[in-house]
Amino acid sequence: MELISLSALDLTLAALLVVALAGLTVWARMGLGRSLLIAGARTVIQLLLIGLVLQTLFDHAQLGWVALMAVTMLAVAGYEVMARQQRRFAGLWGYGIGAVTMFVSAFAVTVLALTTMVGPSPWWEPQYAIPLLGMLLGNTMTGIALGLDRLTQTVWRERRTIEARLALGSGWSEAVATMRREAARSGLMPTINAMAAAGIVSLPGMMTGQILAGAPPVEAVKYQILIMFLITAGTGFGTLGAVWFASRRLFDTRERLRLDRLKPGRHT
Amino acid sequence: MDRLLDVRQLKTAQLGPLDLAVQPGELVQVTGASGAGKSLLLRALADLDPNTGEIMLNGEARDAMLPVQWRRRVAYVPAETAWWGEHVDEHLPAGFSRETALHLLEQVALPEGSLGWEIERLSSGEKQRLGLVRALLNKPRVLLLDEPTANLDLENTKRIERAVRAYLAEEDAAALWVSHDTLQRQRLGGRILTIHEGQLENTAWS
């Protein structure tokens, strides 16, 4: 089996489907036409660019370039985590909690997988390192963003309860335990659901891609299992870490609830 | 030393600096226009808001105690008590004495079985009375009462007043009581502190 190369015409035909959908929404006055077309255009431009970047990276496989790419991906993911918070921490913490926990979890899991499980040579071989890191960062980012958002929202809403517990002599950790548990759950649920539904409800994207590219299904499945475990570990450790640090940061050294450390909520 | 609570140069973003001393067994009333800083004073004393200055309880510095220990001894009771579990007994401090609980329940005219009641079915009067019992189970030395009877009828208000008085007498503890109700102020009596724009303005006796 070999990969069938797609021509410009093939892509144009697919694009016409999106244009047709946009036309339909305009006709039905649903106000989605513009967003659809802009998002479609962004897909083309962003993916073509990243294709070129990856091609260049593969052609000049040097550790420095791979590291630069990885750090850029992390920086953007850190920004995404921050941007998705309705009430985020003020100052550097708003960016730092997400970025640092993602660095620790997604980076560590990727490096561990590359050095001990996949084992390309050299271990940072961009063909393996970049897609792996991308999948891990993408999922970890979602988990951490969901977890942090849920934590700050519920703590804000339940501040009277938290202060009542503090006033009755509970420690900060006990006073915020329910909210922390809920936040960790909401960060991890998508990943757990994806594992549970894998192969039955949906064929995961990476596996599908490998099969399309001509890999034997059993090999593709093995990669998919590996990836799902890595994603679960990365997302899980990242979310638990982020939620823990954020919940600690919501209290000061005298265990007072410090909602003034959050920026005011956005009305969206 | 006969000062139970000794506050020097207490300062928060909107309050103070102010000095204050409270004797054992004393009930001190705190009054002032709304927004003057009455709640802020109680919250600062309970160490719920950031503050500077020196607070001593029985000669022991606040900063030398863990926050958890401090808040058990200097207990803040808000106008509306918060409940988070399904039953009353989920909200009680770990390892409380059953005997003390029964005694306190009797003071606020609630039966022993009320500890197993569902939160959903409590009236506001029952919530405030149980809220007081819950705080007193920690055996605080100082009670910070932030309009604890604001939403209650006269009967429930008087039950709470009696229970606080009895507790102060039995334990030789002190209370700071914020109240808007003139009649309640007359009933409570004692020293009255007035706060204006975050400063202690004057002290009167009734």
Side-chain angles (χ1 to χ4, degrees), chain A residues 158 160-172 174 178-179 252-258 260, chain B residues 43 47-51 62-63 65-68 70-72 75-76 80-82 84 91 134-135 138:
Chain A
E158 303 281 330
R160 282 189 47 236
T161 302
I162 295 173
E163 291 205 321
R165 300 191 77 155
L166 292 177
L168 287 165
S170 293
W172 70 272
E174 193 188 336
T178 337
M179 297 92 196
D252 61 19
T253 46
R254 294 293 300 176
E255 304 191 22
R256 309 171 186 119
L257 181 62
R258 296 295 298 274
D260 56 314
Chain B
R43 289 177 56 89
D47 209 6
L48 287 169
D49 285 336
N51 62 84
R62 189 246 337 244
D63 293 347
M65 278 187 223
L66 292 174
V68 174
W70 179 261
R71 295 193 189 111
R72 282 181 194 153
Y76 177 74
E80 211 177 309
T81 48
W84 51 91
H91 304 82
R134 171 174 80 173
N138 280 326

Side-chain angles (χ1 to χ4, degrees), chain A residues 76-160:
Chain A
V76 175
Y79 178 81
E80 271 298 312
V81 167
M82 185 177 76
R84 290 185 198 177
Q85 309 295 310
Q86 285 229 2
R87 295 179 191 279
R88 57 170 177 260
F89 284 91
L92 261 183
W93 286 88
Y95 186 82
I97 289 184
V100 168
T101 46
M102 251 187 303
F103 176 73
V104 171
S105 64
F107 262 56
V109 170
T110 306
V111 171
L112 183 77
L114 285 170
T115 50
T116 66
M117 301 166 211
V118 184
S121 158
W123 66 268
W124 43 268
E125 168 81 56
Q127 189 199 336
Y128 291 90
I130 297 298
L132 260 181
L133 181 64
M135 280 187 283
L136 272 156
L137 272 181
N139 286 280
T140 312
M141 176 179 86
T142 307
I144 291 179
L146 283 172
L148 286 181
D149 193 46
R150 175 62 71 93
L151 180 78
T152 49
Q153 296 275 24
T154 44
V155 166
W156 182 273
R157 208 177 49 229
E158 303 281 330
R159 57 188 182 276
R160 282 189 47 236

Side-chain angles (χ1 to χ4, degrees), chain B residues 14 25 64 78 94 101 122 133 141 157 176 187 196 203:
Chain B
Q14 292 115 352
L122 297 180
V133 169
R141 302 296 300 127
T157 301
L176 270 78
R187 282 196 303 274
H196 180 67
T203 304

Side-chain angles (χ1 to χ4, degrees), chain A residues 222-238:
Chain A
K222 284 197 279 186
Y223 261 92
Q224 188 63 50
I225 293 173
L226 178 79
I227 283 295
M228 288 205 120
F229 287 171
L230 296 181
I231 284 176
T232 307
T235 311
F237 290 127

Side-chain angles (χ1 to χ4, degrees), chain A residues 169-222:
Chain A
S170 293
W172 70 272
S173 184
E174 193 188 336
V176 80
T178 337
M179 297 92 196
R180 200 162 49 198
R181 204 157 40 228
E182 214 181 289
R185 268 185 70 87
S186 78
L188 270 171
M189 248 14 238
T191 312
I192 294 175
N193 288 340
M195 276 206 294
I200 302 175
V201 184
S202 65
L203 288 183
M206 191 200 71
M207 185 180 117
T208 317
Q210 282 194 323
I211 293 175
L212 284 175
V218 175
E219 287 305 311
V221 162
K222 284 197 279 186

